[in-house]
Amino acid sequence: MFNRRDFIRTGSALGAFTSIPTLESWGDTLLPSLEGPSHHAISLDQHWTVARISKSTPHQQSHQEGQLPQVTLPHCVSQLSWQKWDPSSWEDLWLYRRPLQIPQEFRGLRLFLHFDRVMVNATAAVNGHSLPQHLGGFLPFEHEITSLVTGASNSLSVTVDSRWSNVPPSGSPKGPASVDYLLPGGINGSVELRAVPPIFIKDVFAKPVNVLSADRRLEINCNVDSAIAKSTPVRLVATLQKDKQIIARTSRSVDVAQNRQDVSLVLGDLKDVILWDTENPHLYDLTVTLFVRKQPLHAYKVRVGFRDARFELDGFFLNGKRLQLFGLNRHELFPYVGFSAPDRAQRHDAEYLRRQLNCNIVRCSHYPQSKAFFNACDELGLMVWEEIPGWQYIGDKSWQDVALQNVGDMVRRDRNHPSIVIWGVRINESPNDPELYRQTREIAKSLDGSRPTSGTMTPSSRKDWRQNWHQDVFAFDDYHAAADGSVGIDEPLPGVPYMIAETVGQYSYGTARNFLRRYRRAGDPVEQAEQAVLHAEAHSRAATNQRCCGVIAWCAFDYASLMNAYAGVKCPGIVDTFRIPKLGASFYLAQVNPSVRPVIEPSFYWNFGSNTPTGPGKHAAIFSNCDYLEVFIDGRLHERLKADKDAFPNLKYPPFFIDLNIDGASKPELRIDGYTGNTKALSRSFSSDTASDRLWLHADDMEIQADGTDATRVAFAVVDKFGTPRAYAKGEIHLQLTGPGIIVGDNPFSLDDTGGVGAIWIKSIPGSPGRITLSASHSTLGTNSVNISSR
Ligand code: GAL
C-alpha cells in the first residue's frame, strides 16, 4: 500500500515539496488523454507581455508595464520587415511575463514548465524564483516547478537574452555578419504547463529493427521518472495501433526506483505492418501506459513508421531499393517573424517541398527546425537530414559543451520521426576537430543506434578525411565549375558512402568562380533564367555515378543574411522568402509524373522591356514533363521541341531549349502546348502586353484558428492576363483588414524591391472568431479581396 510518506521526495536534487502528491490525487479524472507525452497540459502561449529591459530604467519599466500590449507565442522581439533586418533591434535582454494559474485538477501533481525553444538564452522564474538558465536556441527544455508554485495564482517570467553570445551558431568575435543567417530572438516556440503523477513516463523511443524481414520488431525504450522514495512496482503496456485497430500489444512489470530509469519492451509479430516510404508514408500510433496496481496513471504516445534507410557504397536505399536523393536545403526563417512562424506556415513549407517541388529529402540547414515541420515530413513522406546549430565556427570549451548538449537534445526530441534518415553531428563546413566530433558522434549513437551520422565537408577536407574522421557518410558541399564553366560535380570519394549536401547556391559558374550571384526577381534576368538550368545540371551530373547517393541543393527559400545578400536578404533560393517560386523553381516543379499533373514552366520572363528588349534569348529553357512541346507566337507555330536528353541524360524530365530571340515591339503572345503521347496534356499562354496585367491575391487557407497564434499567408502579385507573375512590376500595395485578425507584414508594401510579388500573413486574435476580409489595392491595377474565417 502507498501512503502519503511514499511521495515525500527526499534529497536535495529533487528539492522540497510544498504540495505532496497523494494516491487520492491520481483519481480517474486524471486518466491519460492519450495525446502527447503529458498527463495534462495547458498551453501558456497567450497573455504575455514583453519589455526590452536593458535599455530602460527600472522606473520606466514599471511605468510602461500597464501599457504593454499582450503578445502570443511564438513571438519575435523585433518588429521586422521582410528585408533589411538589423540585429541591434533584437540584441538585448527582454522580459516576458504572464500570470500562471494552476487549475484545481493539477493539485497534488508534479508540475513542469516545458519550452519548445527560445532564441537564444532563457532564464525562467516562477514567483520570482529563478530557474537555471538555458543556453542556445532551437531545442526544448523543461523545469520542474512543483515546489515553486503557491496556491492557484502564480507569476511566470522569462528573461530572454537574444544578444550575440558564446553558443552555436554564434560566438565568433566577428559578430552576426559572420554567420550566413540571422538569428532574431524571442520565445519562438510554445510554452506549456504539464502536470504528471509522481511516477510518469518521461520519454519513449520506439526503434523499428529488422524492418525488411517478417520477424521485424519494435524496440521500445521508456524513461520512467519517479519521485517516490521507495521502489514501486509498475506495469508498462505498449500498444501499437493503426487508427482504432490494435496491431500488437506487450507489457512488462518492473520495480521502479526513485529518480529516472529506463525500461525496455519489445513488440514482435509485426509481419503485417505496411512500411513507411516516400510515396506511401504509412504511420502507426504507439501508446505506452504506466499502471500502478492496475490503475492507469500516465500514458505517452508517439508515432512510428517502419522503414529501412541506408547510405551504402553504391547509393542510398530505402526499404531495400536504391533511391536517388533529390532535395533542397531549407532555412526556417520567415519574413516579418524570423523563427516565430506558426505551425501552419511550417507545414506549408514541407508540403511545398514534397508536393510541388517534388523533393524526396530536405536538409534542415543549419539547425533543428520546428516540430510541426517534422510532423508534416512524416506525413508527407519527405525524408530529412537534421543537424545541430552551427556555421563554420567552433568556439571554446563552454561553446562546445552547448554543442554537445544540442546533439543529445536534438536526437532525443526527434528520433521517433521516420522521416529523419541521417543526423548531422558536425558544425556545418567546420574544420575537423577529431575530439569534438568523436563525442558528438558518440552521443548520437548512444541515443539512436539506428541512423548514420554525417556533417558537411569542404574541398580541403576531401584530402585528409581518412585521418581522424569518424562519420558514416561523407557529405560534400560541392561548389565548383567544370572546365567548360558549367556545374562541376566531383567524383565520389572511394570507400565511403557519399552524397552532395549543397551545390549551386549563389555560386558564379563560368569564369568568376565565386559566390556572387543574386537570384532576385528584381535583379538580372539572364542570371535568373540560368538558375534552374544549373540545378538541373547538378542533379543530372551527380546521377552519372551511382555511388553518389544524390543531391540536396542550395537552397529552397531565400533567407535573412548579412553575407553576400541584397538588402539583408540572401537570394540563392529557388523560391523567394515569401514562398513564391522564382524561375529557378521551374526545374523542380516539372520533376513529377505527368499523370499526377502535366507541367510547363518556362525558365524566363515573357517580357520585352528595358531588361530584355529581344525577349528570352537564343537558348531559353522550358521545363516540362511532357513528351514534346509546341511553341506558338501569336498563334503561329514557332517550333516543335524535344527535351534535351543528351545534355541532361540522368534527369527524368530534362529541359527543352528554344531560340526566342525576337522583336517584341508588337507585344506578342506566347503559347506552349505540351503533349504526352498524342494527347495534348496542357496548354499555357503568356502575354507580354502589360496593359492587360491585373492584381492577383491568394490566401493559403480559408480558415484559421482563433488562438492568436495561427496565421495564413496572403500572397499577391502583378500577373499577366493568364496569371503568370509580371517581372519588374512596380507600385505599392495598400492593405486593409476588417474582422478579428491582424496583418503581419509591411503595409503599404512596395513591389519595387521584390520584382512585383509579395505576401503578408493574417494572424488571428485569441478568443475572437469571425470573418476576416483583406483588401489589397494597387495604384493602377485596382482592388482585390479575400475572405477567411477565424474559428
Ligand atoms: C555554403 C554554406 C551555406 C550557404 C552557402 C551559400 O558554403 O554551407 O550555409 O552559405 O554556402 O551559397
Side-chain angles (χ1 to χ4, degrees), residues 136-158:
F138 303 110
L139 286 159
F141 56 95
E142 206 165 71
H143 298 293
E144 180 158 12
I145 58 162
T146 318
S147 61
L148 300 179
V149 300
T150 51
S153 298
N154 300 271
S155 69
L156 172 62
S157 69
V158 185

Side-chain angles (χ1 to χ4, degrees), residues 180-181 331 363 365-366 391-392 428-429 456 477 479 502 504-507 515 554 559 563-564 570 572:
D180 190 52
Y181 44 99
H331 266 299
R363 172 168 170 233
S365 48
H366 299 296
W391 202 82
Q392 297 189 351
N428 174 64
E429 297 183 339
T456 58
D477 288 359
Y479 292 101
E502 286 183 31
V504 186
Q506 296 194 152
Y507 191 74
F515 291 91
W554 194 264
Y559 54 96
M563 207 178 268
N564 293 337
K570 191 151 178 166

Side-chain angles (χ1 to χ4, degrees), residues 209-223:
V209 176
N210 239 347
V211 166
L212 298 186
S213 89
D215 69 346
R216 66 182 66 94
R217 60 184 191 277
L218 191 62
E219 291 182 358
I220 304 161
N221 187 66
C222 307
N223 187 255

Side-chain angles (χ1 to χ4, degrees), residues 30 35 93 176 192 202 274 296 333 373 477 520 577 689 783:
L30 295 174
E35 280 166 16
L93 293 171
E192 263 182 13
K202 180 96 183 156
I274 301 173
L333 288 159
F373 184 75
D477 288 359
R520 289 176 60 236
T577 180
D689 184 1
T783 301

Side-chain angles (χ1 to χ4, degrees), residues 697 702 704 712 714 734-744 747 760-765 768-776 783-790:
L697 189 69
M702 299 314 296
I704 57 174
T712 188
V714 179
H734 289 257
L735 300 161
Q736 211 180 0
L737 182 142
T738 56
I742 55 169
I743 294 171
V744 179
N747 185 22
I760 54 94
W761 273 257
I762 295 180
K763 186 166 155 173
S764 65
I765 294 174
S768 292
R771 184 181 150 101
I772 301 168
T773 301
L774 182 84
S775 313
T783 301
N784 211 339
S785 64
V786 288
N787 293 311
I788 62 167
S789 73
S790 177

Side-chain angles (χ1 to χ4, degrees), residues 393-658:
Y393 169 83
I394 298 179
D396 61 11
K397 166 83 172 60
S398 59
W399 187 99
Q400 293 183 22
D401 286 344
V402 180
L404 295 172
Q405 173 82 34
N406 285 340
V407 178
D409 291 347
M410 170 181 81
V411 175
R412 252 188 303 268
R413 186 190 73 165
D414 291 328
R415 58 192 167 170
N416 286 309
H417 290 287
S419 55
I420 296 174
V421 294
I422 187 165
W423 299 120
V425 299
R426 301 167 65 96
I427 303 304
N428 174 64
E429 297 183 339
S430 57
N432 197 19
D433 183 325
E435 180 48 24
L436 176 64
Y437 294 144
R438 186 193 62 72
Q439 291 183 62
T440 56
R441 174 190 156 90
E442 206 171 279
I443 294 169
K445 293 286 175 184
S446 71
L447 293 168
D448 170 23
S450 72
R451 290 176 179 87
T453 65
S454 189
T456 58
M457 311 294 285
T458 53
S460 60
S461 58
R462 285 179 72 93
K463 292 177 207 100
D464 58 1
W465 67 276
R466 274 181 198 278
Q467 292 103 49
N468 293 318
W469 184 82
H470 302 294
Q471 311 308 328
D472 302 307
V473 179
F474 192 98
F476 186 48
D477 288 359
D478 199 342
Y479 292 101
H480 79 278
D484 64 357
S486 63
V487 177
I489 294 290
D490 271 333
E491 279 297 303
L493 290 168
V496 64
Y498 184 92
M499 65 178 284
I500 293 172
E502 286 183 31
T503 182
V504 186
Q506 296 194 152
Y507 191 74
S508 311
Y509 293 92
T511 50
R513 310 207 166 173
N514 209 331
F515 291 91
L516 300 173
R517 291 248 175 158
R518 302 278 181 279
Y519 297 109
R520 289 176 60 236
R521 200 181 260 102
D524 179 355
V526 177
E527 281 196 351
Q528 291 179 69
E530 282 169 8
Q531 189 188 17
V533 176
L534 298 175
H535 279 260
E537 270 175 8
H539 283 279
S540 182
R541 286 182 187 178
T544 314
N545 189 330
Q546 293 280 296
R547 285 220 39 240
C548 178
C549 292
V551 173
I552 306 182
W554 194 264
C555 66
F557 309 109
D558 290 348
Y559 54 96
S561 172
L562 299 178
M563 207 178 268
N564 293 337
Y566 180 93
V569 177
K570 191 151 178 166
C571 28
I574 55 141
V575 176
D576 70 19
T577 180
F578 305 107
R579 279 53 185 168
I580 298 173
K582 301 194 268 183
L583 294 183
S586 51
F587 159 60
Y588 290 91
L589 292 167
Q591 302 305 304
V592 60
N593 193 308
S595 67
V596 176
R597 61 179 173 274
V599 177
I600 296 170
E601 288 291 339
S603 186
F604 53 77
Y605 300 121
W606 187 242
N607 239 25
F608 297 87
S610 53
N611 282 307
T612 46
T614 55
K618 285 188 183 318
H619 196 60
I622 303 169
F623 286 86
S624 173
N625 52 3
C626 295
D627 295 335
Y628 64 92
L629 302 176
E630 287 182 350
V631 179
F632 299 82
I633 290 172
D634 278 336
R636 278 185 309 278
L637 182 65
H638 182 76
E639 210 176 325
R640 204 163 194 251
L641 300 175
K642 283 190 143 174
D644 189 350
K645 291 207 163 89
D646 297 339
F648 299 83
N650 303 313
L651 294 184
K652 252 196 218 141
Y653 305 106
F656 299 72
F657 289 95
I658 182 168

